[in-house]
Amino acid sequence: EDKIKNTRGWALWHQIYRMLEYSNRQELLEDINNFVISNMIFFGTENEKQIPKKIDLNECARRTVKLVNILHPKIVLLLGSNATTLFEEVSKLKLGTLVDNSISYLKYSDNTLVLSIKHTAYHYSNLEKELIGKTIGYALDHHLVVNQECIKKEFSDIIQKFEMMIRINLLNREITRPYKKDKCPPYSKISKIDYTKLVFEFFTSI
């Protein structure tokens, strides 16, 4: 039997563990005394659509924020946009962008940094997992003092590759988008993309 709540089948735990491996911080999840996992909504359902409408989501979130205030964790990792939105609503605070299209952040207190990423159910690329894991490691190594400028400077190479990957993915979606009724998209919509430049940049950045 697994010592950490049957971690071999715990996808959420494994996803974050793999991220932390990039900064050699995975041991944080090897001891259950090092971390706390809590749903923003205290009701177990297969998906959020099954949560009864009579449940006061904000009240649940307020209790989660109270838990944060009691524990004073070094890092709060919000998973997904819904959790982030609820946290912002009840805390009356707004997260800022740390890394475009990946990480948002907020210095919640002198001892607590809040980071928001996509939910662990999201299909992460290894590049984005590396970026998130190293950002968490950097925050812990620098007493939670982080901002967009220092992260961009510290991980400029990874961020540049990540931004390029996003651009290539957008390009692929434009090229492979299924046409309805055999009609091509308006030329004006695809003519704005410099395919030659994107492909050139992609291959030269590998």
Side-chain angles (χ1 to χ4, degrees):
E1 183 180 0
D2 242 320
K3 293 181 180 180
I4 310 177
K5 198 181 177 181
N6 193 24
T7 54
R8 294 193 179 118
W10 198 356
L12 182 152
W13 183 92
H14 278 287
Q15 187 77 290
I16 299 174
Y17 188 91
R18 285 191 289 267
M19 293 174 181
L20 294 178
E21 284 182 316
Y22 286 103
S23 59
N24 294 317
R25 293 282 186 166
Q26 66 272 19
E27 75 279 356
L28 292 174
L29 294 186
E30 293 173 356
D31 184 346
I32 58 174
N33 295 308
N34 288 333
F35 65 95
V36 171
I37 293 180
S38 173
N39 286 331
M40 192 68 84
I41 309 302
F42 305 129
F43 298 91
T45 59
E46 291 184 5
N47 59 70
E48 63 183 49
K49 293 181 180 179
Q50 295 176 339
I51 298 174
K53 295 186 182 298
K54 63 181 180 180
I55 300 300
D56 187 338
L57 303 185
N58 281 17
E59 179 57 29
C60 289
R62 276 190 286 271
R63 293 176 183 271
T64 300
V65 171
K66 286 182 179 179
L67 179 62
V68 170
N69 294 335
I70 292 170
L71 296 175
H72 300 293
K74 289 185 177 180
I75 290 182
V76 174
L77 192 61
L78 299 173
L79 304 179
S81 58
N82 290 340
T84 302
T85 298
L86 278 172
F87 180 87
E88 290 180 328
E89 286 179 358
V90 301
S91 68
K92 308 299 182 183
L93 300 170
K94 184 73 174 177
L95 276 71
T97 299
L98 190 59
V99 178
D100 288 333
N101 301 303
S102 183
I103 311 171
S104 299
Y105 79 114
L106 167 71
K107 189 64 182 299
Y108 184 70
S109 71
D110 290 340
N111 300 315
T112 300
L113 176 70
V114 176
L115 296 177
S116 170
I117 63 175
K118 304 177 189 75
H119 195 277
T120 49
Y122 175 79
H123 182 68
Y124 275 98
S125 66
N126 288 333
L127 192 59
E128 188 168 8
K129 283 189 283 190
E130 179 181 2
L131 179 58
I132 293 170
K134 288 188 173 180
T135 297
I136 293 173
Y138 180 92
L140 292 171
D141 288 338
H142 292 78
H143 308 288
L144 310 182
V145 179
V146 299
N147 55 51
Q148 192 173 36
E149 183 179 351
C150 70
I151 292 298
K152 191 170 185 178
K153 181 179 180 181
E154 184 72 17
F155 305 118
S156 59
D157 185 55
I158 302 174
I159 291 175
Q160 184 178 10
K161 290 179 180 178
F162 176 66
E163 290 174 345
M164 182 58 62
M165 182 190 71
I166 291 175
R167 296 173 70 189
I168 293 300
N169 288 341
L170 290 173
L171 172 63
N172 287 337
R173 282 201 288 270
E174 286 290 341
I175 293 175
T176 61
R177 177 181 297 172
Y179 301 146
K180 295 182 179 180
K181 298 182 180 180
D182 298 322
K183 291 183 178 180
C184 291
Y187 177 74
S188 59
K189 191 168 185 178
I190 61 175
S191 62
K192 297 178 181 178
I193 302 176
D194 187 344
Y195 298 105
T196 304
K197 185 172 184 292
L198 276 175
V199 173
F200 174 75
E201 288 179 353
F202 174 70
F203 283 107
T204 55
S205 67
I206 295 178

